[in-house]
Amino acid sequence: MQEIGWKVGGKQGEGIDSTGDIFAIALHRMGYYTFTYRHFMSLIKGGHTNYKIRAANQVLRHHGDFVSVLIAFDQTTIDVNWPEMVDGGVVLYDQSSFQAAAPSDRGVHLFGIPLTELAKGAGGAIMKNMVAIGATAAILQLQPDAFLPVVQDKFAKKGQDVVDSNMRALRAGYAYYAQHYDVSLPAPDLPKKTADHLYISGNQATGFGALAGGCRLLAAYPITPATEIMYWVIEHFPKHGGLVLQAEDEIAAINMAIGANFAGVRAMTSTSGPGFSLMMEALGLAGMSETPVVIVDVQRSGPSTGLPTKTEQSDLQEAVYGTHGEIERIVLTPRTVEECFYYTAEAFNLAERYQCPVIVLTDLYLGMSAQSVDGLPTERVTIERGKLISDDALAQMGRFAYQRYDASLADGVSPRALPGQKNARYVALGNEHNGVGLEVEDQQTRVDQVAKRARKLANFTHESGVSVDGRADAEFALVGFGSTWGVLEEARASLEVHGLIVKHIHFSRVAPFPASALEAALRGVQRALVVELNSTGQLAQLMQQHVNCHGVLANCLKYNGDPMSLKEILTRAHEVFPAGVLN
């Protein structure tokens, strides 16, 4: 695989995101596969921020460990990101603003360019980012005109003069670099284009999946990093008869979603960390009243406000066990952008089929990293409403015969009626109840209703669960869930290159826990390294709870706010897997 790593950094508020967006979209439109990662602080202005782009001639699932070209708007950017620079790489810095310093023992080229002064010459200092993109184009041997369509789209609303000014700035950067420096790092060969591909983030794919899955109401309260789902849905739901409600808080949001589902409208709520915690009581209500609801939790670093703009996988056990009492729920953990789309769409089918909450558990890294994918064909999405009782069936029953919570059914899923259907009167409430929903506290009713709800997922099967990549007979395994799939796949491939045969076991569902599939995947494994972004090994604990694998597991944990790197996994693998096997 041919690839290039590029990063721009500076102070929050200096246009770092817009610089990265323009460059990433331009590379994508040229035909490259890109993967972006934003490292940003929870500040409007100030503090260090950076935007990384990895571009290659095949699909990427990870932002990569290395940087070939670094654009530095300040010295901090060089200091913070220096460890990622490859030997022979290029650091471009704004010599209009500061005189850069860097170690001299890495073979990295440190080139100054008067970004701000060149931008002023093109029309305004604010365009120094375009000068930097132009200089980058010269390093990568890309033609400046290749960026024109993106610049046109980005600035057309502000007038042609703005478009022209930005292109002047970009060409000025290109010309300056070409005139003063002769180091080039040619961009990868373009891949053979077989079909159009999308540039989309996990959060956008989640919103798209909800729309494709028939969801027509999102009730949510803004919170990073889930708010991007809300933004996407606000733009697209109304065009398809949908609605977005910004609730006063997360408690109201989930209750609105439950109410809409009770009325027959597919509805969801999206949130993150502390917002998810506020939803716990209503989660129990959905379970007790057997009302379908879909909840998307885009995990971030906690607890409390924690690191709101950094990633983590520490809501796992809250998703599996959260709320009071005991309720059935399904927890999906999409591995890729594509699975964000398909699993969110499918979540509505599962919620209505089993009449229970379905939690789609992603994280900031997967949710906010935009990347190129080979398309999301909506033809794969089907809509199944589950057991909805018909008007004819209710008419034949007559009055007072309908048992919304009929505890005698073998599968525990009783037909659901919608408000307004004749002969379908029942009470949906949080108290324990009998077949028609009336509050009842006798012991046998309690036991029967608990058993009814438990039977719903007793024999749950679904395409989500545990996937296994690599040789089935491998004695060593890497294990993870959700967003770490891409970097773990790269780690598996790297270990195999060095002579160690490893399988990769990955969870895309943790409730109901796929114990049998895990047991089969672990058969013959002598040592398994469980890689997760939290400090306590929550996935490893779940595995130990459901499968007798205590003596096999080792942890690879990270909780500093950054996603797991390939190097960190390989370093831990050297420690855990038998010495002498790896070179």
Side-chain angles (χ1 to χ4, degrees), residues 111-447:
F111 294 151
I113 293 185
L115 300 177
T116 302
E117 292 304 315
L118 290 172
K120 287 178 180 176
I126 196 173
M127 293 183 293
K128 68 179 181 181
N129 59 340
M130 301 305 296
V131 178
I133 289 175
T136 300
I139 297 171
L140 302 182
Q141 298 183 345
L142 300 170
Q143 290 303 309
D145 285 348
F147 294 83
L148 179 58
V150 178
V151 175
Q152 189 83 36
D153 289 350
K154 183 81 173 177
F155 300 108
K157 289 182 180 177
K158 297 181 179 179
Q160 190 58 41
D161 288 346
V162 176
V163 173
D164 293 342
S165 297
N166 278 275
M167 283 305 298
R168 267 200 309 275
L170 191 151
R171 291 191 178 100
Y174 184 95
Y176 187 94
Y177 186 88
Q179 183 179 354
H180 292 82
Y181 304 112
D182 59 0
V183 175
S184 62
L185 302 169
D189 296 334
L190 279 170
K192 184 178 179 181
K193 195 169 185 178
T194 55
D196 289 337
H197 48 262
L198 297 177
Y199 179 70
I200 190 169
S201 71
N203 279 341
Q204 292 169 330
T206 297
F208 187 17
L211 179 64
C215 178
R216 291 298 179 267
L217 176 73
L218 169 71
Y221 184 77
I223 184 170
T224 301
T227 307
E228 282 190 347
I229 297 173
M230 197 174 184
Y231 290 158
W232 192 95
V233 169
I234 286 173
E235 183 178 354
H236 296 282
F237 265 30
K239 293 181 284 189
H240 300 274
L243 184 67
V244 179
L245 292 172
Q246 179 175 323
E248 65 266 37
D249 56 33
E250 288 85 353
I251 299 172
I254 187 173
N255 280 298
M256 288 175 177
I258 292 171
N261 277 292
F262 170 76
V265 176
R266 286 192 160 187
M268 64 181 280
T269 185
S270 56
T271 190
S272 182
F276 186 48
S277 297
L278 287 173
M279 296 179 177
M280 287 299 117
E281 182 178 357
L283 188 68
L285 171 64
M288 177 62 103
S289 64
E290 302 189 42
T291 307
V293 68
V294 173
I295 305 157
V296 179
D297 176 23
V298 188
Q299 298 170 94
R300 67 186 200 185
S301 298
S304 189
T305 311
L307 301 174
T309 58
K310 303 296 186 297
T311 197
E312 206 162 271
Q313 293 181 311
S314 54
D315 294 350
L316 179 65
Q317 295 197 354
E318 184 181 29
V320 173
Y321 297 117
T323 199
H324 49 290
E326 299 165 319
I327 65 163
E328 304 302 311
R329 89 281 304 272
I330 298 166
V331 181
L332 305 175
T333 53
R335 301 172 301 170
T336 61
V337 162
E338 291 93 328
E339 287 190 351
C340 285
F341 172 77
Y342 290 116
Y343 284 6
T344 303
E346 178 68 0
F348 293 91
N349 289 340
L350 296 174
E352 294 197 321
R353 186 182 306 156
Y354 296 100
Q355 299 174 14
C356 71
V358 177
I359 298 163
V360 180
L361 191 65
T362 67
D363 57 43
L364 182 146
Y365 181 60
L366 178 58
M368 298 191 75
S369 295
Q371 53 189 287
S372 307
V373 298
D374 278 336
L376 301 172
T378 54
E379 298 79 22
R380 280 184 53 186
V381 176
T382 59
I383 295 179
E384 301 165 7
R385 300 301 306 265
K387 286 186 180 180
L388 283 175
I389 194 165
S390 68
D391 290 343
D392 289 343
L394 287 166
Q396 291 177 13
M397 285 182 180
R399 299 181 66 189
F400 307 123
Y402 172 58
Q403 297 279 311
R404 169 67 182 92
Y405 303 110
D406 184 355
S408 68
L409 297 175
D411 64 0
V413 182
S414 44
R416 188 164 60 107
L418 301 181
Q421 286 186 282
K422 189 175 181 180
N423 296 334
R425 187 176 66 177
Y426 74 99
V427 181
L429 76 172
N431 293 84
E432 192 56 274
H433 46 259
N434 62 13
V436 296
L438 294 178
E439 181 182 349
V440 173
E441 295 188 0
D442 76 84
Q443 295 177 352
Q444 192 57 51
T445 298
R446 166 67 175 177
V447 170

Side-chain angles (χ1 to χ4, degrees), residues 25-37:
I25 294 171
L27 290 174
H28 168 78
R29 290 191 183 180
M30 291 176 201
Y32 293 107
Y33 288 96
T34 60
F35 191 111
T36 69
Y37 171 63

